[in-house]
Amino acid sequence: MTFRTAALAVSALTASLSLSAPALADAPRLEAKGDTQQLIVNGKPMLMIAGELSNSASSSAAYMEPHWKRLKEMNLDTVLTPVSWELIEPVEGTFDWSSVDSQIKAARANDLKLVVLWFGAWKNSMSTYVPAWVKRDQQRFPRAQMPNGQGVEILSTFGAETLKADQRAYAALMAHLKAVDAKDNTVVMVQVENEIGMLPVARDYSAAANAAYREPVPAELVNYLTAHKDSLVPGMRRMWLERGAPTSGSWEEMFGGGDAAAEVFAAWHYARFADQLAAAGKAAYPIPMYVNVALNRPGRIPGEYPSGGPLPHLLDVWKAGGPHLDFLAPDIYFPNFVDIVNGYKRPDNLLFIPEAHNSNNPTAPANAFYAIGQLDAIGFGPFSIDSVDEDPGALKDAYGVLQQLKPYILDAQGTDRMVGFKPRQLYDDTLVYEPEVREVGPYRFTIAYADIQKPVANPGADASQPGTTAAIAAAGGMIIQIGPEEYLIAGQGVTVTFKPKSGPGSNGAALAGIDSAFEGRFDSTGKWVPGRLLNGDQTHQGRHIRLEAGKWQIQRVKLYSYK
């Protein structure tokens, strides 16, 4: 079947669906706001309070049927869902959209948005989600190879027919989404492939790859490095700048040889493949597209982790090689969340965490508050959300608070009126729990975690018990300024003190007090419903705001200053 015949078949199938084919409205897009970007959906800014399905969940509408309602009840508004190449194109040139359409229908029925995860040529490095007709034709769709010539279950980036076939399927998917969803914008973004990277060595050693490795480094990469010489990530500075910043030469001459050069080479060709895929998709339906990354463990060499993905030390390579990609997103399962997300929030890269520990990890809610409040993340999505929707733990409560705060978060993004906080953990689980300082509006806030500064050593402690190591690790929140001296302080496990900032505008005031502090909530219409007016013991006689451990909450606070 030719591509034209296949396209006609797609149109006929679309016309037969109960999903209508609406007139094109404004497609989801990214739009600058202040010093960040926002996701615009149906003409309005959107914050994705999300969760990612387990890998095989979306392959069965029957399996997913009971989950959609529970996900909505967990206070999600967005679900990240796989769409696999093998399901939509089981026969070359013939497309089956039933797995896609069932998800769109279910999402709409439950007032949820979708982020589609394209499991095409690669998923978690491997090429197991490609159709059987791709798997079985190694001449047309060559595999990457080990140095000894042994093939691996990973398609080579040097397969021209692989790129063409993946582009065709991806473009057909995007055209179908435009046909059935352009009015409703149920699908708001698409992830291009999933956790790209080479295993178990640093690069492909096929004949085509070896030939390319002997060629000079492409001018596009050299020009990017030269233009961004003063802002390169530390890993690239070590590989290129500290070698004298050569502007021509082989991969080994420019990047030092060995695994380091091999991984830069792999990253460039993965980025170019993903970029060409995104370009084909955007030609069909130009909505935001990104690539995610499986992070590297410290001390491991390339190939012991998926080599060549958009890793922290390779971000410059991906930015040079993937101009059609809107951003690069980290999947985070390591404890050093704060350090990781600060590396991915850059002037040229907004922050989105598509995959992370789910509610089985007590730090997940605090991670969401930190990323959104401190770094203007456009969303947060714990993994395997369908596995915890019957017992979501603290995530449901934390997400409920984020849903209430969403209008204020969106209004404050890109400004200096919002901050987030959580204890910093290192990769080895060391907890940095000293109080932190944030400035918002005319006041300086000091945040201490879980009531006391020194944790009680108890590895089995419940995260809801103040003073335990577990409670401090799970603490966190955000502060949003909503008036000249009025704030929403939200989170759990923190004590917040305050004083006027010095300098212009402080009027010489040295002290701050609490005008009023109400606990409460925003109802479904966005109206503030106050609870107790907190004072006395609840505010330490006007000295602090306390958000107790184990209870995600909002307090609406007015401050005043005096001499």
Side-chain angles (χ1 to χ4, degrees):
M1 180 181 288
T2 66
F3 180 70
R4 182 176 183 277
T5 304
L8 291 172
V10 171
S11 297
L13 178 60
T14 299
S16 70
L17 294 170
S18 59
L19 287 167
S20 62
L24 179 64
D26 288 341
R29 66 186 186 278
L30 297 173
E31 189 174 282
K33 182 178 185 292
D35 60 5
T36 191
Q37 288 181 293
Q38 290 184 313
L39 175 64
I40 307 298
V41 179
N42 299 121
K44 299 178 181 179
M46 178 182 177
L47 177 68
M48 292 180 287
I49 301 173
E52 181 175 324
L53 297 179
S54 54
N55 296 158
S56 302
S58 64
S59 67
S60 169
Y63 171 86
M64 279 302 301
E65 184 176 3
H67 291 284
W68 293 107
K69 183 174 182 289
R70 292 203 294 262
L71 293 173
K72 183 64 177 179
E73 291 171 347
M74 281 180 66
N75 295 312
L76 273 71
D77 56 32
T78 308
V79 177
L80 284 74
T81 181
V83 169
S84 64
W85 188 2
E86 63 181 341
L87 280 179
I88 71 164
E89 195 181 8
V91 176
E92 185 173 6
T94 300
F95 294 95
D96 177 357
W97 303 114
S98 57
S99 62
V100 177
D101 294 331
S102 67
Q103 295 185 75
I104 293 175
K105 288 182 183 179
R108 288 179 186 168
N110 290 277
D111 192 25
L112 292 164
K113 298 295 186 181
L114 297 177
V115 174
V116 163
L117 314 178
W118 173 239
F119 287 4
W122 301 287
K123 190 270 175 192
N124 290 73
S125 300
M126 313 307 286
S127 300
T128 59
Y129 282 79
V130 301
W133 53 270
V134 175
K135 292 178 182 177
R136 293 177 176 274
D137 192 344
Q138 296 182 40
Q139 290 297 115
R140 187 177 168 201
F141 307 109
R143 306 291 183 91
Q145 294 180 10
M146 301 282 286
N148 64 3
Q150 174 65 53
V152 292
E153 187 93 351
I154 299 174
L155 290 169
S156 173
T157 56
F158 296 93
E161 288 297 310
T162 302
L163 175 60
K164 288 180 183 178
D166 201 350
Q167 281 180 311
R168 181 187 64 193
Y170 185 62
L173 169 64
M174 297 309 298
H176 180 74
L177 293 178
K178 178 179 179 180
V180 302
D181 193 46
K183 180 180 178 181
D184 294 279
N185 290 175
T186 310
V187 177
V188 299
M189 288 199 311
V190 181
Q191 177 182 289
V192 180
E193 310 291 1
N194 186 84
E195 294 188 351
I196 291 171
M198 182 64 189
L199 295 169
V201 290
R203 70 169 179 90
D204 178 5
Y205 284 87
S206 65
N210 288 340
Y213 191 64
R214 291 190 292 268
E215 295 175 356
V217 174
E220 300 97 320
L221 178 54
V222 176
N223 292 341
Y224 179 94
L225 296 177
T226 302
H228 296 82
K229 188 174 182 179
D230 296 331
S231 60
L232 298 176
V233 297
M236 184 53 63
R237 293 181 68 86
R238 286 192 296 272
M239 282 186 280
W240 179 67
L241 197 57
E242 293 180 9
R243 291 179 57 79
T247 56
S248 64
S250 69
W251 295 92
E252 293 193 351
E253 288 169 342
M254 286 193 61
F255 301 110
D259 284 341
E263 188 177 27
V264 175
F265 171 82
W268 174 255
H269 288 285
Y270 276 128
R272 295 303 301 138
F273 190 109
D275 185 71
Q276 293 174 83
L277 206 62
K282 287 189 172 186
Y285 186 34
I287 65 176
M289 298 178 188
Y290 69 96
V291 169
N292 66 332
V293 60
L295 296 166
N296 52 317
R297 293 179 181 274
R300 301 292 179 88
I301 63 173
E304 293 180 348
Y305 58 82
S307 172
L311 296 151
H313 61 289
L314 298 171
L315 287 177
D316 295 308
V317 181
W318 273 82
K319 286 295 179 182
H324 289 95
L325 299 169
D326 291 288
F327 58 92
L328 306 169
D331 294 348
I332 306 177
Y333 293 92
F334 299 148
N336 53 326
F337 182 90
V338 169
D339 294 340
I340 292 168
V341 291
N342 276 277
Y344 279 83
K345 176 61 188 290
R346 303 163 25 134
D348 64 351
N349 200 74
L350 63 81
L351 183 63
F352 175 50
I353 298 92
E355 191 174 321
H357 285 299
N358 60 33
S359 64
N360 292 322
N361 185 301
T363 64
N367 289 342
F369 271 72
Y370 178 84
I372 293 168
Q374 184 67 14
L375 300 175
D376 291 325
I378 64 170
F380 182 87
F383 178 62
S384 193
I385 200 72
D386 52 298
S387 70
V388 298
D389 57 11
E390 290 187 89
D391 185 18
L395 188 64
K396 177 180 178 180
D397 295 337
Y399 269 16
V401 170
L402 286 174
Q403 288 288 359
Q404 295 175 58
L405 293 173
K406 189 158 54 174
Y408 297 92
I409 292 170
L410 291 168
D411 183 62
Q413 283 181 332
T415 75
D416 59 1
R417 294 186 289 104
M418 178 172 65
V419 296
F421 40 84
K422 63 157 291 176
R424 178 176 171 235
Q425 286 180 275
L426 307 183
Y427 180 78
D428 65 2
D429 273 325
T430 298
L431 187 62
V432 181
Y433 51 83
E434 287 83 0
E436 298 186 60
V437 176
R438 299 283 193 275
E439 292 187 351
V440 192
Y443 291 95
R444 179 177 294 113
F445 297 86
T446 299
I447 301 101
Y449 296 107
D451 300 332
I452 61 173
Q453 296 181 23
K454 292 187 177 181
V456 176
N458 184 354
D462 187 323
S464 66
Q465 296 303 309
T468 63
T469 301
I472 293 178
M478 64 175 64
I479 298 171
I480 307 171
Q481 183 185 15
I482 61 172
E485 294 183 291
E486 188 172 11
Y487 298 86
L488 299 175
I489 303 179
Q492 68 95 11
V494 299
T495 299
V496 182
T497 54
F498 29 81
K499 64 179 182 179
K501 291 194 305 188
S502 59
S506 66
N507 296 318
L511 301 170
I514 299 172
D515 178 315
S516 62
F518 283 91
E519 63 182 6
R521 61 182 179 84
F522 292 97
D523 67 16
S524 60
T525 69
K527 179 183 177 182
W528 175 250
V529 181
R532 293 181 298 171
L533 173 60
L534 301 175
N535 209 325
D537 293 341
Q538 281 66 53
T539 63
H540 193 31
Q541 320 308 321
R543 295 183 181 93
H544 69 210
I545 299 298
R546 179 176 177 268
L547 307 179
E548 64 185 276
K551 180 183 177 182
W552 290 93
Q553 61 183 286
I554 304 169
Q555 292 186 25
R556 188 166 186 162
V557 179
K558 286 184 180 180
L559 302 178
Y560 72 97
S561 59
Y562 61 98
K563 298 179 181 179

